[in-house]
Amino acid sequence: MIDIDKIMEILKKDNEANRVIRTDFVNFMEKISDPYIVLICCILSLRTNDKTTYPCSMRMLELGKTPNEIAKLDKETLEKAIYPVGFYKNKAEQIINLSKILVEKYNSKVPNTIEELVKFKGVGRKTANLVLAKGFNIPAICVDVHVHRISNRTGYVKTKTPEETELTLREILPKKYWIDYNTILVTHGQNVCKPINPKCNICSVKDYCKKLIK
């Protein structure tokens, strides 16, 4: 079994010592604790890189920061603010409709269960888990492409899809790491353990990685 405690210890130190650079969007998402803002910003980030997502999120939040404020926007106004995130027209419609539902059916409060969150159009398990972890401080494992890739490369899991990775991690990852696992692995993935040509020679956890241990 991979020494996940040692890996997390080392990667946390890399973050704390600024040996890896977190994007503006990741830093922003680490600082906010409003479930609604986490939710709508995460929707923007889907299939879009952090460099593009961050300024679009800031422009969106200038228009409103509550379900009631966003629900009153016209679609074209929000589209203009969030362009050029991927699928910006669809996302504008999703966010406005989601906000209206929150106002009308949830008293403007974001639900705090995966089962309720995934009922919203455009919200999958990855987004739902991030809302629970960052918005409610509820232990949840948000699995994106970085988490899926690195968890498999290290040999901690052997899975084929992010969904399968999440379910496997729920069984083996100590709960104390659930909330931070995404941020730490995303940062490592953006800086070192990249999809193509990973920088294994400078990786601080290479001695614990199954990819390099023969």
Side-chain angles (χ1 to χ4, degrees):
M1 177 65 70
I2 298 298
D3 190 345
I4 194 63
D5 293 305
K6 194 63 180 179
I7 288 176
M8 290 299 288
E9 177 188 347
I10 294 171
L11 294 182
K12 278 186 176 182
K13 287 181 179 178
D14 285 348
N15 274 259
E16 293 165 358
N18 296 319
R19 286 190 287 268
V20 287
I21 300 172
R22 293 200 308 208
T23 65
D24 289 337
F25 183 68
V26 170
N27 278 328
F28 170 70
M29 293 293 276
E30 280 295 287
K31 293 176 183 177
I32 59 177
S33 57
D34 184 317
Y36 177 68
I37 294 178
V38 174
L39 175 57
I40 60 176
C41 288
C42 188
I43 290 174
L44 285 194
S45 74
L46 301 175
R47 298 187 183 181
T48 305
N49 63 52
D50 286 1
K51 186 176 180 180
T52 300
T53 302
Y54 180 68
C56 293
S57 296
M58 296 303 101
R59 291 195 297 271
M60 174 176 64
L61 295 176
E62 287 177 359
L63 299 175
K65 296 181 180 179
T66 67
N68 190 56
E69 291 171 340
I70 297 295
K72 293 176 181 178
L73 295 176
D74 63 85
K75 184 170 175 282
E76 291 73 21
T77 298
L78 185 54
E79 285 179 2
K80 184 177 179 180
I82 67 175
Y83 178 84
V85 298
F87 306 97
Y88 70 98
K89 290 187 176 182
N90 289 338
K91 289 177 180 178
E93 183 175 1
Q94 289 170 4
I95 289 171
I96 290 173
N97 288 340
L98 178 152
S99 300
K100 289 179 179 178
I101 294 172
L102 286 175
V103 171
E104 296 168 1
K105 297 184 178 181
Y106 292 86
N107 195 30
S108 296
K109 296 185 183 301
V110 175
N112 63 354
T113 67
I114 289 179
E115 292 74 20
E116 283 296 313
L117 286 166
V118 296
K119 290 179 181 179
F120 295 106
K121 184 177 180 180
V123 177
R125 289 190 66 88
K126 182 182 89 169
T127 298
N129 275 299
L130 191 66
V131 171
L132 294 185
K134 302 303 181 184
F136 291 101
N137 201 37
I138 294 173
I141 306 172
C142 175
V143 177
D144 67 353
V145 291
H146 295 290
V147 173
H148 174 60
R149 179 178 71 255
I150 297 171
S151 295
N152 274 276
R153 272 186 181 167
T154 58
Y156 193 49
V157 303
K158 188 176 182 180
T159 55
K160 295 181 179 180
T161 66
E163 292 78 12
E164 189 180 344
T165 297
E166 181 205 333
L167 297 178
T168 302
L169 287 173
R170 283 178 170 272
E171 296 178 358
I172 64 175
L173 182 67
K175 214 163 191 176
K176 62 183 178 181
Y177 298 134
W178 284 22
I179 291 177
D180 294 330
Y181 195 69
N182 176 268
T183 298
I184 288 173
L185 265 65
V186 165
T187 305
H188 186 61
Q190 290 174 336
N191 285 265
V192 181
C193 197
K194 298 186 176 186
I196 301 173
N197 298 322
K199 301 177 181 179
C200 299
N201 60 314
I202 64 169
C203 179
S204 58
V205 295
K206 60 185 177 183
D207 293 339
Y208 304 91
C209 180
K210 186 176 180 180
K211 175 180 171 63
L212 298 177
I213 299 174
K214 304 299 183 182

